Amino acid sequence: MCPRDSRSGLAATDREYGDVATAGSPFGLDGWVHLRLATDVTSLLEPGQTVYVGDRREERRVTEFVATPKPRILISGCTSRADAEALRGSTLAVDRRAAGAHLEGRHFWFQLEGLEVETEGGEPLGRLVGLVETGANDVYEVRGAAGEILIPALPDVIRDIDLKAGRMIVALPAGLRAED
């Protein structure tokens, strides 16, 4: 199962790094920066963790992190309001390989994208190509020979995710396919 916010983390154009936040406005005078989080896996931003800043992926260490409704961070090399202002708009990314240790049975979106999806009976439905955020639960977009199927990302529907095999098994509810 892919929890609502952890799947949004680690979005990026490359396979090595995943974006977890965007730097916002400075907070105070000592280098603190407000964040717009792209994940609910905030352990990726705990003190001592490594983050990679901006398009050049400059390596920095998290010194302090406050996960309030307006989260903020203090990272190495950022000691003044001017330093914090220079970070505004920059992405903070993590190494995708290291991020997996923070999931505790959950999955990031980048791990799910491209999985082959099939029913519990072994019927191939297609490849997982997109994710739609709705008010109630996320929905997986699957494209295959029969066209597009939108599958709710719910525990009763998503039966198994096997990353090594590149496969997701679903209990497809009636009425989701055109022929149903």
Side-chain angles (χ1 to χ4, degrees):
M1 170 98 170
C2 183
R4 179 168 169 70
D5 292 321
S6 63
R7 62 90 187 109
S8 65
L10 301 192
T13 56
D14 61 61
R15 294 281 182 207
E16 188 174 353
Y17 300 101
D19 299 341
V20 291
T22 302
S25 62
F27 176 80
L29 302 174
D30 299 324
W32 284 88
V33 179
H34 281 114
L35 295 177
R36 287 184 300 279
L37 296 176
T39 182
D40 68 342
V41 186
T42 57
S43 62
L44 292 166
L45 298 169
E46 290 177 348
Q49 297 295 323
T50 301
V51 293
Y52 301 88
V53 179
D55 294 335
R56 293 177 42 220
R57 303 293 192 207
E58 183 180 334
E59 184 175 324
R60 305 273 187 101
R61 282 275 192 216
V62 176
T63 305
E64 293 185 55
F65 173 68
V66 178
T68 62
K70 290 182 111 180
R72 58 188 184 272
I73 197 168
L74 186 62
I75 58 175
S76 61
C78 191
T79 59
S80 69
R81 187 171 183 86
D83 292 340
E85 184 62 48
L87 291 177
R88 188 190 296 252
S90 297
T91 57
L92 276 68
V94 296
D95 182 309
R96 288 181 175 205
R97 291 168 296 185
H102 294 262
L103 291 179
E104 301 174 16
R106 301 182 298 177
H107 299 91
F108 286 114
W109 169 240
F110 83 90
Q111 295 174 298
L112 301 177
E113 188 175 24
L115 291 180
E116 292 295 330
V117 180
E118 62 184 58
T119 66
E120 291 177 298
E123 177 190 352
L125 299 174
R127 184 175 300 273
L128 183 57
V129 297
L131 181 86
V132 179
E133 293 181 71
T134 69
N137 57 271
D138 290 338
V139 175
Y140 296 138
E141 180 183 351
V142 176
R143 285 197 195 125
E148 179 181 277
I149 301 172
L150 299 175
I151 300 174
L154 298 170
D156 289 346
V157 176
I158 309 304
R159 298 299 188 161
D160 186 47
I161 295 173
D162 186 341
L163 297 177
K164 288 182 181 176
R167 184 179 63 220
M168 176 185 287
I169 307 296
V170 300
L172 197 62
L176 291 186
R177 292 187 279 193
E179 62 267 12
D180 286 345

